Amino acid sequence: MRRPSLGALPIPELAAALLSGWAFARAGRLPRLTLPPPPGHLPALSIIVPARNEAKNLRRLLPSLRGLRYPGPLEILVVDDESEDETAEVAAAFEVTVLRAGPRPPGWLGKPFAAHRGAEATSGEWLLFTDADTWHAPDSAARAMAWALQHQVDALTLFPDLETERIWEAAVLAVAFAGLFAGLRRFDGLLNGQYLLIPRAVYFASGGFAAVRDRMLEDLAFGQRLRSLGYRIALVDGRDVVRVRTDGDLRAWIHRMGRWASGVMEAQAMRPWVPVLLTAGMAFPLGEIGRGRLEAGLLRWALTGLGAYPWARRWGWPAAAGLAPLGAALLAGSALWGLARRWSGRGIPWKGRRVR
């Protein structure tokens, strides 16, 4: 009986599937917000929402923030980053404070500038930075604050639940998050800008977003800075209390994933070769099928689907695991496009600007 050659074995897909499963297990070890909302008084909290062209998302976010049950002083500030839509008007209609960020000084990117302007304009003892495409459970802020105080951390960031509207989105996210959690060197230097809770004193003592004003992924860069300064950062599973909605057409997704993937590749907290190998392994069956090796390609395709299944199921689209090779190809293409745009100096289109 003829033995299969090494090249005939599904080594890339097997490695990718094992990495994906290991990454999912790593994500599952994140601590949870198990504490109930405390009955007593909590420190004054300022919620800062940097917003550019977010009129649609604010209509969902702001009712959830207005409905927070927080036992302490609470203020909500939307920082309008030179929006071209009705962002400021929508925010004002929900009776929250609106701050016009104004023109950016040289060397600043838009989101770090808006976030820092918000920090300067608020007065809370703690600051909560959150994105416009999030939704917050009524007890989310109280539970997050209680966890941060009990564990005596200098910054708390949540890994939220994701709401995907299309199956191909879930396929891309399954590969993207498998690569992220497989490639992370550690969790204690990772910040997620979708939900960052930090004491005012720590924010300004560390330089805040002003210290990473020119970084495309300012949250990852700020997390690295906090860790280098010796601050304690906690990454906590916040699926029970915060959700993020992913929307936009295919072109917007390519821009988003190109910006995200090319920025992640530069993060000091990452082993960049790990997500590269995982994504390549997930996409490998497409090459087999393209060369006419249909039977081998389908077997390899099934193996990558098994690796992506836990992640796809987590996002509520278990069938998306069957599209893992296509999701990997789209992610890889977006990352290469984003890197090429950055290296050429052309920048990545993002909300009406070019991020360089």
Side-chain angles (χ1 to χ4, degrees), residues 151-238:
H151 292 83
Q152 298 181 335
V153 297
D154 299 307
L156 171 68
T157 188
L158 296 186
F159 180 40
D161 195 12
L162 296 182
E163 299 176 352
T164 55
E165 298 180 352
R166 287 158 289 201
I167 190 171
W168 62 265
E169 297 174 355
V172 176
L173 290 172
V175 180
F177 278 93
L180 174 66
F181 277 91
L184 274 175
R185 299 178 187 273
R186 63 189 74 88
F187 290 157
D188 60 351
L190 180 68
L191 282 187
N192 177 15
Q194 295 166 332
Y195 196 103
L196 167 59
L197 181 65
I198 185 170
R200 168 180 292 276
V202 172
Y203 177 83
F204 283 104
S206 65
F209 287 115
V212 292
R213 66 190 69 185
D214 60 345
R215 299 297 295 273
M216 182 179 296
L217 296 185
E218 71 292 327
D219 50 356
L220 292 181
F222 188 31
Q224 292 163 16
R225 178 172 178 82
L226 287 173
R227 186 179 184 278
S228 69
L229 294 173
Y231 291 108
R232 294 183 59 213
I233 303 172
L235 174 63
V236 178
D237 189 335

Side-chain angles (χ1 to χ4, degrees), residues 41-335:
H41 191 77
L42 288 177
L45 176 64
S46 297
I47 301 178
I48 300 163
V49 184
R52 175 171 170 81
N53 299 338
E54 296 287 5
K56 175 183 176 182
N57 284 324
L58 288 179
R59 291 185 174 95
R60 189 181 80 138
L61 166 66
L62 293 179
S64 74
L65 293 182
R66 294 270 296 167
L68 289 175
R69 296 191 292 265
Y70 186 78
L74 177 68
E75 64 175 329
I76 303 170
L77 173 67
V78 173
V79 185
D80 180 20
D81 181 18
E82 298 186 310
S83 297
E84 299 164 333
D85 65 359
E86 299 177 343
T87 289
E89 292 76 11
V90 170
F94 284 98
E95 299 181 348
V96 301
T97 305
V98 180
L99 172 67
R100 304 274 186 173
R104 290 171 291 143
W108 284 83
L109 293 181
K111 187 174 178 182
F113 181 61
H116 192 67
R117 288 275 286 129
E120 292 177 325
T122 52
S123 58
E125 183 181 349
W126 283 68
L127 307 176
L128 171 56
F129 298 92
T130 192
D131 284 353
D133 57 1
T134 58
W135 175 92
H136 301 243
D139 61 355
S140 57
R143 290 174 64 183
M145 182 68 77
W147 200 99
L149 293 174
Q150 184 186 61
H151 292 83
Q152 298 181 335
V153 297
D154 299 307
L156 171 68
T157 188
L158 296 186
F159 180 40
D161 195 12
L162 296 182
E163 299 176 352
T164 55
E165 298 180 352
R166 287 158 289 201
I167 190 171
W168 62 265
E169 297 174 355
V172 176
L173 290 172
V175 180
F177 278 93
L180 174 66
F181 277 91
L184 274 175
R185 299 178 187 273
R186 63 189 74 88
F187 290 157
D188 60 351
L190 180 68
L191 282 187
N192 177 15
Q194 295 166 332
Y195 196 103
L196 167 59
L197 181 65
I198 185 170
R200 168 180 292 276
V202 172
Y203 177 83
F204 283 104
S206 65
F209 287 115
V212 292
R213 66 190 69 185
D214 60 345
R215 299 297 295 273
M216 182 179 296
L217 296 185
E218 71 292 327
D219 50 356
L220 292 181
F222 188 31
Q224 292 163 16
R225 178 172 178 82
L226 287 173
R227 186 179 184 278
S228 69
L229 294 173
Y231 291 108
R232 294 183 59 213
I233 303 172
L235 174 63
V236 178
D237 189 335
R239 284 177 292 164
D240 297 337
V241 295
V242 180
R243 297 199 299 265
V244 175
R245 179 171 59 189
T246 62
D247 57 10
D249 56 18
L250 180 58
R251 182 178 180 182
W253 260 78
I254 291 174
H255 293 174
R256 177 186 293 112
M257 299 311 297
R259 172 179 176 270
W260 181 81
S262 62
V264 163
M265 295 296 289
E266 298 177 347
Q268 295 177 8
M270 291 291 296
R271 301 180 184 91
W273 58 270
V274 177
V276 169
L277 291 179
L278 186 147
T279 304
M282 289 282 188
F284 201 83
L286 295 173
E288 290 291 281
I289 293 175
R291 288 193 292 268
R293 302 171 184 172
L294 183 60
E295 183 176 353
L298 290 177
L299 289 173
R300 291 170 182 264
W301 193 299
L303 187 57
T304 61
L306 288 175
Y309 178 78
W311 291 100
R313 185 167 179 248
R314 179 172 184 153
W315 310 138
W317 287 91
L323 300 179
L326 296 174
L330 180 57
L331 178 62
S334 299

